[in-house]
Amino acid sequence: MTSSFNVQSAAGYEQLMGRWSRQLAPPFIDFAGLADGERVLEVGCGTGSLTFALPHAANVSEITAIDFSPVFVEATMRGNTDPRIKVQQADACALPFADGSFDRALALLVLHFVPEAGKAVAEMRRVVRPGGVVAAAVWDHLGGMPGMRMVLDTAAVLDGNADRVRSRYCFQPMMRPGEMMQSFVANGLTDVRQTSLLIRMDYLSFADFWEPIAAGEGPLGKYVAGLDADQRAKVDAAIRAAYEAGQPDGPRSFAAVAWACRGIVPKA
């Protein structure tokens, strides 16, 4: 398995996460760096949040965007109007490119869904030229995603099986403090730096928050979809109460923090 992300549809992913990855893309690009004329590889393009932000940040010469999911590849291809952007299906752990093919390799909200995440980092390093940059960002599910923790912590009170789901969710690859930085160093990258990136997830209502999860999108959606009808009704009601927090349904805002890491491919 090369991706553990549960995707039902591109539209569902957009409501669940795409709108937030679009917000995260600009600060991630600022941290990762980008220069005119560069050849950029994006590993795990999803629906194109980072893909389509890159040409606005610099006059790059080409962008190659890959994803393991045909659903995401098709969605990004459908949304593309820039001839510099090429999209294809590929495995992050076995990139189909020659050594040193790119100036920069970037992965936004991807590595935590790659079971062999260290192998993906090694592949990104391999296909970047000496002196080029490898950068990635993943959500801090344990301490930086209160909206999603609200779902799992509430479910864990009602369903013993949610404990295992919560543990997997909070400790996906590259999420522990310093873990991604250690992987970058172990894979031979130099001048490795790590930081935190903060956005806010603003929802119009409980339905806006809950619909994609209730439809089975993402790891939380996969858990919810596996509940029987009675347990599902209890979980839905309890999470609605947690979202509303004693006030009428309406807009809510949750902070969301990602770990970001960058390193340089050493020159010979």
Side-chain angles (χ1 to χ4, degrees), residues 6-264:
N6 187 59
V7 57
Q8 300 295 318
S9 71
Y13 174 81
E14 275 293 300
Q15 188 178 3
L16 175 72
M17 193 55 62
R19 51 181 167 170
W20 313 127
S21 56
R22 284 197 297 276
Q23 285 190 29
L24 190 62
F28 175 62
I29 293 170
D30 288 345
F31 172 72
L34 195 64
D36 292 348
E38 287 191 333
R39 298 159 298 156
V40 181
L41 172 66
E42 182 190 0
V43 175
C45 61
T47 50
S49 297
L50 178 60
T51 315
F52 301 136
L54 290 167
H56 295 286
N59 186 23
V60 295
S61 65
E62 64 180 67
I63 299 166
T64 299
I66 68 108
D67 203 286
F68 186 71
S69 167
V71 173
F72 288 150
V73 170
E74 193 277 332
T76 304
M77 291 178 68
R78 187 173 61 246
N80 181 36
T81 59
D82 191 325
R84 294 171 296 175
I85 298 174
K86 307 299 179 187
V87 188
Q88 67 184 79
Q89 196 277 337
D91 182 347
C93 295
L95 295 172
F97 309 110
D99 296 359
S101 298
F102 301 95
D103 299 295
R104 209 171 292 260
L106 309 176
L108 179 64
L109 305 181
V110 174
L111 292 184
H112 48 315
F113 293 114
V114 179
E116 295 182 284
K119 192 171 183 179
V121 173
E123 278 290 273
M124 292 170 71
R125 179 198 184 283
R126 179 184 65 78
V127 302
V128 170
R129 64 165 174 81
V133 173
V134 173
V138 303
W139 289 125
D140 175 10
H141 279 176
L142 177 67
M145 296 286 284
M148 301 302 109
R149 282 295 304 271
M150 177 182 73
V151 172
L152 283 170
D153 291 344
T154 301
V157 175
L158 301 172
D159 175 21
N161 292 325
D163 281 336
R164 292 191 297 274
V165 177
R166 177 170 57 183
S167 181
R168 287 196 302 270
Y169 181 82
C170 290
F171 296 105
Q172 287 176 253
M174 301 295 179
M175 286 189 170
R176 298 174 190 268
E179 183 180 1
M180 188 160 44
M181 189 173 187
Q182 292 167 8
S183 181
F184 274 42
V185 171
N187 281 290
L189 294 162
T190 61
D191 191 26
V192 177
R193 294 188 288 134
Q194 180 174 292
T195 192
S196 295
L197 304 175
L198 170 69
I199 65 165
R200 295 201 69 90
M201 294 179 170
D202 297 316
Y203 298 95
L204 297 174
S205 63
F206 177 69
D208 188 32
F209 172 82
W210 188 238
E211 280 176 357
I213 299 173
E217 291 292 344
L220 302 190
K222 184 177 181 179
Y223 160 73
V224 170
L227 295 171
D228 63 39
D230 289 343
Q231 196 74 299
R232 172 69 182 271
K234 292 176 183 177
V235 167
D236 285 1
I239 292 171
R240 173 185 282 276
Y243 175 92
E244 294 176 352
Q247 296 294 314
D249 188 16
R252 300 291 189 271
S253 182
F254 298 95
V257 179
W259 298 113
C261 193
R262 59 165 283 169
I264 307 296

